[in-house]
């Protein structure tokens, strides 16, 4: 079970949003590079990074920060946030990220997802963010009116190498992930699934590890780390347990 500590970047700072709301954000003192170093020092080998500026603009706004993290620490990064072109994917690939997450652009244009998977084999992760069973797009501001599992069945053969499933109602709320829905997604998906949204305690990590045989590859931990509900020493023990 891979554990992905999360770094959300806005205005060059680490932040956390509640349910993706830009008006409901908390800024943290440590820089994204220093935060990545802290995770590395604790033995984490994977990072989940969201460029929130990119999500708003559709550009690779914080590419310099991502490049610095990749070059400074030998750590695998999955990066998302407003990736809407092959050029953006290429830029991230060129600086050495492991996976590039396609979200809204892939849901709005399935051909973009298909071509991206063909052009960048094993590089594309599909980010599915759902609210009450329906996929949301455009920074979670719009409902796509498409059921998560229906969409997944439509694109299952395209060749995404990872799927990140987030229940928006749980994100930043620290009420535990929606394991039930995640299992349904994992059973439908052709590629391994990452659990995202709502991790509140080390018990959530332990529960996720018990699901390891259900096509679930890992779990993302964000706000619970920043708020001190999960201590990094405690979380790092789960890497080896």
């Amino acid at each position: 079970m891979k554990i992905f500590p999360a770094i959300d970047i806005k205005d060059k700072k680490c932040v956390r949003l509640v349910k993706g709301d830009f008006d409901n954000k908390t800024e943290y003192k440590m820089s994204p590079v220093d935060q990545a170093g802290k995770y590395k020092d604790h033995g984490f080998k994977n990072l989940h990074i969201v460029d929130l500026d990119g999500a708003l603009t559709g550009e690779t706004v914080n590419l310099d920060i991502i490049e610095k993290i990749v070059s400074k620490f030998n750590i695998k990064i999955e990066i998302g946030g407003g990736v809407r072109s092959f050029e953006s994917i290429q830029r991230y690939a060129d600086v050495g990220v492991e996976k590039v997450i396609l979200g809204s652009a892939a849901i709005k244009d399935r051909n973009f997802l298909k071509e991206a998977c063909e052009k960048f084999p094993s590089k594309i992760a599909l980010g599915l963010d759902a609210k009450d069973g329906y996929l949301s797009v455009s920074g979670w501001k719009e409902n796509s009116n498409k059921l998560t599992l229906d969409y997944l069945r439509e694109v299952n053969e395209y060749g995404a190498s990872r799927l990140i499933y987030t229940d928006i109602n749980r994100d930043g709320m620290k009420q535990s992930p929606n394991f039930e829905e995640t299992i349904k997604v994992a059973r439908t998906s052709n590629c391994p699934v990452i659990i995202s949204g709502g991790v509140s305690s080390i018990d959530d990590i332990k529960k996720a590890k018990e699901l390891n045989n259900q096509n679930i590859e890992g779990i993302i931990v964000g706000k619970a780390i920043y708020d001190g509900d999960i201590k990094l020493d405690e979380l790092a023990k789960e890497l080896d347990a």
Side-chain angles (χ1 to χ4, degrees):
M1 174 67 61
K2 293 174 181 171
I3 299 173
F4 293 77
I7 295 176
D8 288 5
I9 305 171
K10 178 89 178 67
D11 303 323
K12 308 292 182 191
K13 295 176 182 153
C14 289
V15 304
R16 293 303 294 166
L17 308 182
V18 174
K19 295 186 183 179
D21 182 0
F22 283 88
D23 295 323
N24 192 350
K25 76 172 182 189
T26 307
E27 287 185 359
Y28 298 92
K29 285 178 185 170
M30 195 170 277
S31 76
V33 175
D34 290 342
Q35 188 69 31
K38 193 174 172 185
Y39 292 145
K40 172 70 178 173
D41 289 345
H42 279 81
F44 293 96
K45 298 177 176 68
N46 298 277
L47 272 189
H48 174 84
I49 300 182
V50 179
D51 181 345
L52 292 171
D53 298 296
L56 290 171
T57 63
E59 303 295 332
T60 53
V61 177
N62 291 296
L63 185 68
D64 57 330
I65 293 175
I66 307 305
E67 185 172 15
K68 201 174 282 184
I69 291 170
V70 173
S71 61
K72 198 169 182 183
F73 313 110
N74 182 21
I75 199 161
K76 292 176 180 174
I77 289 175
E78 57 175 32
I79 173 82
V83 182
R84 295 167 200 162
S85 68
F86 298 130
E87 289 77 16
S88 291
I89 300 170
Q90 189 66 60
R91 281 187 205 112
Y92 283 132
D94 287 346
V95 301
V97 306
E98 188 197 22
K99 306 278 184 193
V100 180
I101 304 163
L102 302 185
S104 299
I107 294 159
K108 290 177 176 179
D109 182 358
R110 287 182 303 169
N111 283 334
F112 174 59
L113 172 65
K114 191 176 187 181
E115 284 184 45
C117 291
E118 288 165 2
K119 284 178 189 280
F120 303 93
S122 78
K123 212 78 184 163
I124 303 300
L126 176 60
L128 296 184
D129 306 329
K131 198 171 190 177
D132 306 321
Y134 287 88
L135 291 174
S136 288
V137 291
S138 303
W140 299 352
K141 293 179 179 68
E142 295 173 35
N143 183 338
S144 69
N145 295 315
K146 191 168 271 294
L147 286 165
T148 304
L149 295 180
D150 287 352
Y151 171 81
L152 181 52
R153 290 185 190 104
E154 289 168 10
V155 303
N156 231 344
E157 304 299 328
Y158 288 5
S161 60
R162 175 179 289 164
L163 193 157
I164 297 142
Y165 176 72
T166 305
D167 184 322
I168 294 169
N169 287 328
R170 305 289 181 105
D171 189 73
M173 299 301 291
K174 297 187 298 189
Q175 293 172 346
S176 293
N178 190 335
F179 289 111
E180 202 176 312
E181 278 303 310
T182 307
I183 289 167
K184 286 181 194 170
V185 169
R187 283 178 181 155
T188 307
S189 174
N190 281 357
C191 63
V193 173
I194 306 286
I195 302 166
S196 168
V199 172
S200 59
S201 70
I202 210 74
D203 290 338
D204 289 333
I205 308 300
K206 290 177 176 171
K207 186 169 180 182
K209 287 168 79 173
E210 289 167 12
L211 306 173
N212 210 4
N213 61 350
Q214 312 235 19
N215 195 30
I216 290 172
E217 181 185 19
I219 188 164
I220 294 166
V221 191
K223 201 168 193 295
I225 293 173
Y226 288 93
D227 291 354
D229 297 289
I230 294 179
K231 302 285 184 285
L232 280 180
D233 292 343
E234 191 183 18
L235 189 61
K237 284 177 189 163
E238 294 302 320
L239 288 168
D240 310 311

